[in-house]
Coordinates of all heavy atoms in Angstrom, one line a residue:
G52 N 87.1 -147.2 -18.1 CA 87.2 -148.5 -18.8 C 86.0 -148.8 -19.7 O 85.9 -149.8 -20.3
E53 N 85.2 -147.8 -20.0 CA 84.0 -147.9 -20.8 C 84.2 -147.3 -22.2 O 85.1 -146.5 -22.4 CB 82.8 -147.4 -20.2 CG 82.4 -148.1 -18.9 CD 81.9 -149.5 -19.1 OE1 81.3 -149.8 -20.2 OE2 82.2 -150.4 -18.3
T54 N 83.3 -147.6 -23.1 CA 83.4 -147.1 -24.5 C 82.0 -146.6 -24.9 O 81.0 -147.0 -24.4 CB 83.8 -148.3 -25.5 OG1 85.0 -148.8 -25.1 CG2 83.8 -147.8 -26.9
M55 N 82.0 -145.5 -25.7 CA 80.8 -144.9 -26.2 C 80.8 -144.8 -27.7 O 81.9 -144.4 -28.3 CB 80.6 -143.5 -25.6 CG 79.4 -142.8 -26.1 SD 79.3 -141.1 -25.6 CE 78.8 -141.3 -23.9
L56 N 79.7 -145.1 -28.4 CA 79.6 -144.9 -29.8 C 78.7 -143.7 -30.1 O 77.6 -143.6 -29.6 CB 79.0 -146.1 -30.6 CG 78.7 -145.9 -32.0 CD1 80.0 -145.6 -32.8 CD2 78.0 -147.1 -32.6
M57 N 79.2 -142.7 -30.8 CA 78.4 -141.5 -31.2 C 78.2 -141.6 -32.7 O 79.1 -141.5 -33.5 CB 79.2 -140.2 -30.8 CG 79.5 -140.2 -29.3 SD 80.4 -138.7 -28.9 CE 79.1 -137.5 -29.0
P58 N 76.9 -141.9 -33.1 CA 76.6 -142.1 -34.5 C 76.7 -140.9 -35.4 O 76.7 -141.1 -36.6 CB 75.2 -142.7 -34.4 CG 74.6 -142.2 -33.2 CD 75.7 -142.0 -32.2
Y59 N 76.7 -139.7 -34.8 CA 76.6 -138.5 -35.7 C 77.3 -137.3 -34.9 O 76.7 -136.9 -33.9 CB 75.2 -138.1 -36.1 CG 75.1 -137.1 -37.2 CD1 75.1 -137.5 -38.5 CD2 75.0 -135.7 -36.8 CE1 75.1 -136.5 -39.5 CE2 75.0 -134.8 -37.8 CZ 75.0 -135.2 -39.2 OH 74.9 -134.2 -40.1
V60 N 78.4 -136.9 -35.3 CA 79.1 -135.8 -34.7 C 79.4 -134.7 -35.8 O 80.0 -135.1 -36.8 CB 80.5 -136.2 -34.1 CG1 81.2 -135.0 -33.5 CG2 80.2 -137.3 -33.0
S61 N 78.9 -133.5 -35.6 CA 79.0 -132.5 -36.6 C 79.5 -131.2 -36.0 O 79.5 -130.1 -36.7 CB 77.7 -132.3 -37.4 OG 76.7 -131.8 -36.5
A62 N 79.9 -131.2 -34.8 CA 80.4 -130.0 -34.1 C 81.6 -130.4 -33.2 O 81.9 -131.5 -33.0 CB 79.3 -129.4 -33.2
T63 N 82.3 -129.3 -32.7 CA 83.4 -129.6 -31.8 C 82.9 -130.3 -30.6 O 81.9 -129.9 -30.0 CB 84.1 -128.2 -31.4 OG1 84.5 -127.6 -32.6 CG2 85.2 -128.4 -30.5
L64 N 83.7 -131.3 -30.2 CA 83.3 -132.1 -28.9 C 84.4 -131.7 -27.9 O 85.6 -131.7 -28.1 CB 83.4 -133.6 -29.2 CG 83.0 -134.5 -28.1 CD1 81.5 -134.3 -27.7 CD2 83.2 -135.9 -28.5
Y65 N 83.9 -131.3 -26.7 CA 84.7 -130.8 -25.6 C 84.7 -131.9 -24.5 O 83.7 -132.6 -24.3 CB 84.2 -129.5 -25.0 CG 84.3 -128.4 -26.0 CD1 83.2 -128.0 -26.7 CD2 85.5 -127.7 -26.2 CE1 83.3 -127.0 -27.7 CE2 85.6 -126.6 -27.1 CZ 84.4 -126.3 -27.8 OH 84.5 -125.3 -28.7
L66 N 85.9 -132.1 -23.9 CA 86.1 -133.2 -23.0 C 86.8 -132.7 -21.7 O 87.5 -131.7 -21.8 CB 87.0 -134.3 -23.5 CG 86.4 -135.0 -24.8 CD1 87.0 -134.4 -26.0 CD2 86.7 -136.5 -24.7
L67 N 86.5 -133.3 -20.6 CA 87.0 -132.9 -19.3 C 87.1 -134.2 -18.4 O 86.2 -134.9 -18.3 CB 86.1 -131.9 -18.6 CG 86.5 -131.4 -17.2 CD1 87.7 -130.5 -17.3 CD2 85.3 -130.7 -16.5
A68 N 88.3 -134.4 -17.9 CA 88.6 -135.5 -17.0 C 88.2 -135.2 -15.6 O 88.3 -134.1 -15.2 CB 90.0 -136.0 -17.1
N69 N 87.8 -136.2 -14.8 CA 87.4 -136.1 -13.4 C 88.6 -136.4 -12.6 O 89.2 -137.5 -12.8 CB 86.2 -136.9 -13.1 CG 85.9 -136.9 -11.6 OD1 86.2 -137.8 -10.9 ND2 85.3 -135.9 -11.2

Side-chain angles (χ1 to χ4, degrees):
E53 295 293 325
T54 301
M55 173 188 288
L56 174 63
M57 300 179 74
Y59 191 89
V60 179
S61 63
T63 301
L64 185 61
Y65 296 95
L66 298 96
L67 178 72
N69 175 258

